[in-house]
């Protein structure tokens, strides 16, 4: 069998490994005086950033950190965290971004599982660690982070205060070259069942994700999200998928960055206004909170572009944003995918419509970004038609997907099947390659050989004027395999019965939005719909209760 | 010694090799109906491009091409060539882009050295190949390219006509995955001495070069060269460093592309006007020719951005372009560097000046693009100060530099020293990281321990009103090591003597542009300055003649 001509080792002697330190070359070179702002507290330049990253590398080394060690961070969204994004992987250690919203038990589980050696912890999270102190197995040293003059006193074994350690550390660190497949970052993703699972990304993967991000967020004139003149403020936490990897791209391009600290809606809006922020990424809940503030009413938001992810951007939210002048886009990805897979894709003709009429396009999951292969497949692994109707599980190939779950290779094998990462999301794809996520595969209702989206049904039921909320799950059915079962909550003082809801749904049969057989026979009116700790409908619990 | 935690093979099972086929994913997905135009002859869509690439892969396979083979192309700048940029590497073969401007002897040398198996040749280049037919050693088959109804008859052993072979080939080719370090392209670079040398680039290198190009040419609002709404027309040949790699980036982004065929100045200007071209790259000579056409006088060029490379963008050319509304930028790189290393970098404040006053900034070699390390070093390899004065050889590290010269490892060892690619260019670097190329290292004059730029001296001498041209070389000097020796040609009817020239130069001593000791004692007035076949001053010959 003939083979391509592979470079012989001697012909490949000057290969340049892809390392995170290279992402720090160009931003400070282009824009040494560009600012990085910490909320209403402080700011510094890119030149300062570089010096502080060198100091941090020395401080960590002085504190005993070696290549291959794991250094964990528990902080709000701060320039300190940005420094950790670079310095920790750049010395060859692994950055573990701890999810500070987990329960103390889950936090300690992830710390022990990741085998953290050193932990950088903000005052506000000391109580969590102190409460589980005796269960923490591998940590040798803590470094304290504070926004006050002095860090809080603690019973943890502390090497010192971050700023004090940086102040006495050297300003030059000779960052080594090493294998680009070295692990750079790790963090834990939580499901409704079982322990958190650790995903991990290599230097190579983060560099490629960053480079491809400029291909998708910089080059499109219809969506000028990441541009040299952008002002960037993350509104999804840095512990979660490296704030979607945007801090790396923003730094590479030398863009002004605003780190908000805590997510207090009034503060976020004040920062938007003060710094004329042009680009953020955000989850719907926080966006709702920001849009509910008093001060947003006096903000000029006509140049604020927001990538919405985490959960679906609803038409209602997108419309409400458009009325304030906010340009929203849907981003799609997950912890396992670094995360970027696809983004809303607007064309020049889409922008000819008034903003309020662009919603239908903006709420779609969009088109896969450069270097990503996306497909939707049936349970047998075969692609389903791209007709905007047929549903399949979203599977992906790209150069930046987690290769497995840390120390859980069996879970990794479930994730990767046939050479594709299986997202667990169900979607349709239009002939123009636009993806629309319909459901989680474990929530989709398999009835009569068809896949019925529980989310679609919930959305339609919710449009009944008496309905406050709805949850639909599949329940076993001898004839059809599964049938939809709806739980409905009513607005205070409103009334409706099963037939009202069914009649309401029939209009969508007439308009072609659902099939006749999608209308549930089983509709229960309930006081509350069970939710998970992060506010999502707990469909597993509902299914268990209905059994 | 502690090591970073490298992904174990089992944890790296789903690594995604970087392959040129991935650059073809997103453009057709974003913009299937976007046009690719062939001069005033024909056009087709990105959907057609994809189908034709699949057909070409089948046609080449039918013609006996196997992975690891080398397929050479001799064509003008055409969509056919773009198809070859993709299809040939995508089947695992090596694309050899033959420099059609070489002498027949040099062409056959490169074909034999590269071990071409199949050659795609345009009618216009048949005479070259026929003239050296008996010396061609490895080629088994030729495929003919024509812009007429039928290809010219030839004595070469032809498998058929390109369009006919595509027409009967299958529309689906299953492009395989393989090692990302497989060679994708090769071509030959010529110096003033010796045989042409073959550089080569892997799939990985071309993918990374393409991705980083969007970081430098898309994200900067001051220089919107590569944007989704751009219209791109190359004006440096596709055989030369893959037209600077821009066709790959343009295709990845789904940008409209215009291929001009031959470089006829009137045709180029007509295409600019007809298609409202926004981005080209060009060498100064061709730019001069285009600016000399009649039809350019009626063109609106205010949205034409041109990256100038190959040789230095002079202030005169940049000024003349500005008067026509053309925005020029300097790009720096070479065949060995894929080529992109640095580009003019404008800041918002630079654009506040009228275009005519931006020249000083635009003619600088600019700032290194993302992922590139550039340094200027003394002969001992140590960096020289970044003060805008001190000169050093430009050395580079980046993920896309040729690893050696094909079958000439000794030359490769000269190229790579101490882990850095040595460009052979001498430059200064300003405190803001702006590079300015001063000379070729073999032409720089080493006098009294200092490096004196022959180009600087030539530029200053040329500003004397009587001078038509100047060439300066270093000649051995017992006391100073070397001293400058100038050859000067005068404009018709003008007169000047040695002292006139020296007095002329003294004003630049006063203004601080050169040192007193830079003024040559030896100035010869000559009829002609020796040039190479590509029109550059032949300094080697001048030095030999002066010995």
């Amino acid at each position: 069998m003939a083979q391509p001509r592979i470079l012989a080792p001697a012909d490949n002697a000057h290969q340049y490994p892809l390392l995170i330190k290279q992402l720090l070359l160009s931003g400070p070179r282009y824009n040494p005086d560009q600012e990085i702002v910490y909320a209403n507290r402080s700011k510094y330049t890119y030149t300062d950033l570089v010096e502080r990253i060198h100091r941090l590398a020395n401080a960590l080394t002085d504190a005993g950190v070696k290549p291959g060690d794991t250094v964990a961070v528990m902080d709000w969204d701060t320039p300190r965290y940005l420094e950790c994004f670079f310095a920790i992987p750049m010395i060859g250690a692994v950055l573990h971004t701890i999810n500070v919203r987990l329960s103390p038990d889950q936090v300690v589980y992830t710390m022990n599982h990741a085998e953290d050696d050193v932990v950088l912890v903000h005052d506000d999270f000391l109580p969590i660690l102190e409460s589980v102190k005796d269960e923490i197995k591998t940590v040798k040293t803590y470094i304290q982070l504070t926004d006050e003059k002095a860090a809080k006193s603690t019973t943890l074994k502390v090497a010192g205060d971050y700023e004090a350690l940086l102040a006495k550390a050297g300003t030059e660190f000779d960052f080594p070259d090493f294998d680009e497949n070295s692990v750079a970052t790790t963090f834990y993703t939580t499901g409704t069942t079982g322990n958190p699972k650790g995903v991990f990304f290599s230097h190579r993967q983060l560099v490629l994700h960053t480079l491809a991000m400029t291909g998708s967020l910089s080059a499109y004139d219809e969506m000028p999200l990441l541009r040299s003149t952008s002002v960037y403020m993350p509104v999804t936490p840095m512990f979660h998928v490296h704030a979607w990897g945007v801090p790396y791209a923003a730094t590479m391009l030398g863009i002004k960055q605003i780190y908000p600290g805590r997510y207090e809606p009034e503060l976020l809006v004040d920062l938007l206004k003060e710094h004329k922020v042009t680009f953020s990424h955000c989850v719907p809940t926080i966006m709702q909170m920001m849009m509910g503030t008093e001060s947003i009413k006096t903000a000029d938001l006509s140049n604020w572009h927001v990538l919405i992810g985490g959960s679906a951007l609803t038409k209602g939210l997108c419309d409400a944003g458009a009325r304030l002048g906010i340009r929203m886009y849907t981003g799609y990805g997950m912890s396992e995918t670094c995360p970027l897979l696809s983004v809303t894709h607007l064309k020049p003709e889409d922008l000819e419509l008034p903003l309020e009429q662009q919603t239908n396009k903006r709420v779609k999951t969009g088109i896969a970004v450069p270097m990503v292969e996306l497909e939707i497949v049936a349970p047998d692994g075969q692609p389903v038609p791209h007709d905007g109707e047929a549903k399949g599980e979203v599977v992906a190939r790209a150069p930046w997907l987690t290769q497995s779950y840390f120390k859980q290779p069996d879970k990794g094998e479930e994730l990767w099947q046939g050479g594709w990462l299986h997202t667990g999301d169900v979607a349709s794809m239009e002939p123009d390659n636009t993806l629309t996520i319909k459901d989680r595969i474990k929530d989709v209702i398999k009835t009569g050989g068809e896949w019925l989206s529980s989310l679609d049904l919930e959305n339609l039921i919710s449009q009944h004027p008496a309905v406050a909320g709805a949850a639909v799950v599949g329940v076993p059915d001898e004839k059809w395999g599964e049938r939809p079962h709806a739980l409905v909550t009513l607005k205070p003082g409103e009334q409706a019965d099963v037939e009202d809801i069914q009649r309401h749904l029939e209009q969508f049969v007439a308009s072609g939005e659902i099939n006749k057989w999608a209308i549930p026979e089983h509709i229960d009116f309930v006081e509350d719909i069970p939710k998970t700790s992060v506010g999502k409908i707990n469909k597993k619990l509902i299914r268990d209760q209905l059994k």
Side-chain angles (χ1 to χ4, degrees), chain A:
Chain A
M1 177 65 192
Q3 291 293 325
R5 193 200 300 163
I6 299 168
L7 290 176
D11 279 345
N12 206 17
H14 310 290
Q15 190 72 272
Y16 195 60
L18 302 177
L19 297 172
I20 283 173
K21 66 176 175 177
Q22 294 147 11
L23 300 178
L24 192 59
L25 290 170
S26 50
R29 198 158 58 192
Y30 281 137
N31 246 342
D33 300 327
Q34 180 69 280
E35 288 180 349
I36 295 169
V37 177
Y38 179 19
N40 44 9
R41 297 176 181 276
S42 58
K43 62 184 178 182
Y44 61 61
T45 67
Y46 270 63
T47 301
D48 299 326
L49 173 69
V50 172
E51 183 184 318
R52 288 173 59 87
I53 288 169
H54 281 255
R55 285 181 182 271
L56 176 54
N58 279 313
L60 291 170
T61 304
D62 295 345
V65 175
K66 299 180 303 298
D69 283 357
T70 299
V71 179
V73 176
M74 297 181 82
D75 196 4
W76 303 107
D77 283 11
T78 67
R80 286 185 300 257
Y81 218 140
L82 182 67
E83 293 152 20
C84 292
F85 270 35
F86 284 94
I88 294 170
M90 281 166 66
I91 62 177
V94 179
L95 166 66
H96 173 198
T97 57
I98 293 180
N99 181 342
V100 297
R101 293 194 196 141
L102 295 179
S103 67
D105 281 352
Q106 284 183 310
V107 167
V108 74
Y109 171 84
T110 66
M111 290 172 69
N112 288 336
H113 191 271
E115 303 171 21
D116 294 344
D117 295 288
V118 172
V119 180
L120 281 66
V121 55
H122 187 278
D123 285 347
D124 291 351
F125 308 115
L126 285 174
I128 297 178
L129 295 189
E130 288 169 351
S131 75
V132 291
K133 191 179 152 190
D134 297 336
E135 295 162 54
I136 301 172
K137 293 188 182 132
T138 57
V139 177
K140 301 170 198 95
T141 309
Y142 295 87
I143 292 171
Q144 284 193 268
L145 311 172
T146 185
D147 298 315
E148 308 304 324
K149 288 216 171 120
K152 280 193 184 152
S153 68
T154 174
T155 57
L156 299 173
K157 191 187 153 199
V158 171
D161 167 77
Y162 186 89
E163 290 300 334
L165 293 174
L166 258 62
K168 70 179 184 197
T171 59
E172 294 282 345
F173 190 96
D174 187 17
F175 291 103
D177 279 0
F178 43 74
D179 190 315
E180 67 186 18
N181 292 315
S182 301
V183 180
T185 63
T186 188
F187 53 88
Y188 285 74
T189 173
T190 50
T192 43
T193 56
N195 278 317
K197 300 193 292 286
V199 298
F200 49 88
F201 298 97
S202 68
H203 282 255
R204 169 189 164 103
Q205 291 181 312
L206 285 165
V207 168
L208 290 167
H209 184 265
T210 305
L211 290 173
M213 186 173 268
T214 65
S216 54
L217 303 186
S218 301
Y220 286 87
D221 284 309
E222 299 76 23
M223 355 185 0
L225 304 186
L226 257 183
R227 291 277 173 87
S228 59
T229 54
S230 298
V231 178
Y232 162 62
M233 180 172 80
V235 193
T236 67
M238 298 179 82
F239 69 72
H240 186 58
V241 214
H242 339 95
W244 301 1
V246 181
Y248 286 119
T251 304
M252 182 180 84
L253 296 173
I255 288 173
K256 183 169 180 178
Q257 305 181 49
I258 317 294
Y259 288 90
R262 292 172 190 72
Y263 288 172
E264 294 159 0
E266 291 285 349
L267 171 68
L268 292 169
V269 174
D270 286 347
L271 291 170
L272 279 187
K273 290 160 85 167
E274 182 184 348
H275 296 285
K276 298 185 170 56
V277 171
T278 66
F279 175 46
S280 296
H281 39 83
C282 193
V283 295
T285 320
I286 305 281
M287 181 53 102
Q288 288 278 17
M289 288 163 61
M290 291 175 74
M291 286 166 55
T293 60
E294 195 54 32
S295 61
I296 206 162
K297 293 176 186 166
T298 57
D300 173 7
L301 301 171
S302 62
N303 199 27
W304 190 34
H305 301 262
V306 188
L307 197 58
I308 298 284
S311 47
L313 171 60
T314 61
K315 289 185 185 180
L317 183 63
C318 191
D319 277 340
R323 285 192 292 272
L324 291 168
I326 307 170
R327 282 153 176 77
M328 293 193 207
Y329 311 79
T330 302
Y332 173 58
M334 52 204 289
S335 297
E336 286 81 353
T337 64
C338 200
L340 197 61
L341 291 177
S342 78
V343 176
T344 294
H345 192 71
L346 300 175
K347 298 192 170 180
E349 58 266 31
D350 296 318
L351 293 184
E352 286 168 16
L353 293 170
L355 185 57
E356 297 76 16
Q357 293 172 35
Q358 296 169 18
T359 292
N360 280 336
K361 195 75 185 272
R362 290 178 181 270
V363 299
K364 285 182 180 164
T365 324
I367 295 186
V369 302
M371 303 295 292
V372 170
E373 289 181 68
L374 277 188
E375 192 47 90
I376 50 172
V377 299
D380 64 2
Q382 290 304 305
V384 305
H386 295 186
D387 58 8
E389 294 288 331
K391 294 184 198 71
E393 184 181 9
V394 182
V395 297
R397 298 183 70 198
W400 51 75
L401 310 182
T402 194
Q403 299 289 296
S404 185
Y405 294 105
F406 187 49
K407 298 193 290 193
Q408 292 186 290
D410 53 324
K411 300 274 185 200
E413 280 170 31
E414 284 172 33
L415 183 69
W416 284 95
Q417 293 167 39
W420 293 77
L421 183 145
H422 284 242
T423 62
D425 287 319
V426 170
S428 64
M429 204 180 282
E430 290 168 50
D432 77 351
N433 305 304
T434 299
L435 190 76
T436 303
I437 301 294
K438 294 290 187 177
D439 214 341
R440 290 292 295 168
I441 200 166
K442 63 182 192 302
D443 295 331
V444 80
I445 299 149
K446 290 96 178 169
T447 185
E450 299 279 346
W451 280 3
L452 176 60
S453 161
S454 64
L455 289 183
D456 279 355
L457 265 182
E458 287 161 10
N459 276 330
L460 296 176
I461 294 172
S462 298
Q463 289 176 33
H464 187 285
V467 170
V472 180
V473 299
V475 292
D477 182 277
E478 259 186 39
K479 183 167 176 195
W480 302 106
E482 283 186 343
R483 287 296 298 154
H485 188 125
L487 303 191
V488 175
T489 56
L490 294 175
K491 290 177 184 164
E494 297 282 352
Q495 289 205 318
D497 62 18
V498 170
E499 284 189 10
D500 289 336
I501 302 297
Q502 289 173 332
R503 255 197 314 275
H504 165 75
L505 289 174
E506 266 162 22
Q507 64 176 305
F508 301 111
V509 176
S511 66
E513 288 181 62
I514 51 169
N515 287 297
K516 178 84 180 160
W517 48 260
I519 298 177
E521 301 84 17
H522 312 290
I523 300 174
D524 296 342
F525 293 89
V526 296
E527 285 298 308
D528 280 308
I529 289 171
K531 298 269 173 70
T532 68
S533 60
V534 294
K536 292 184 181 175
I537 298 174
N538 192 335
K539 296 199 177 175
K540 179 172 185 304
L541 182 62
I542 296 173
R543 280 191 294 264
D544 288 349
Q545 288 174 346
L546 288 175
K547 255 179 206 163

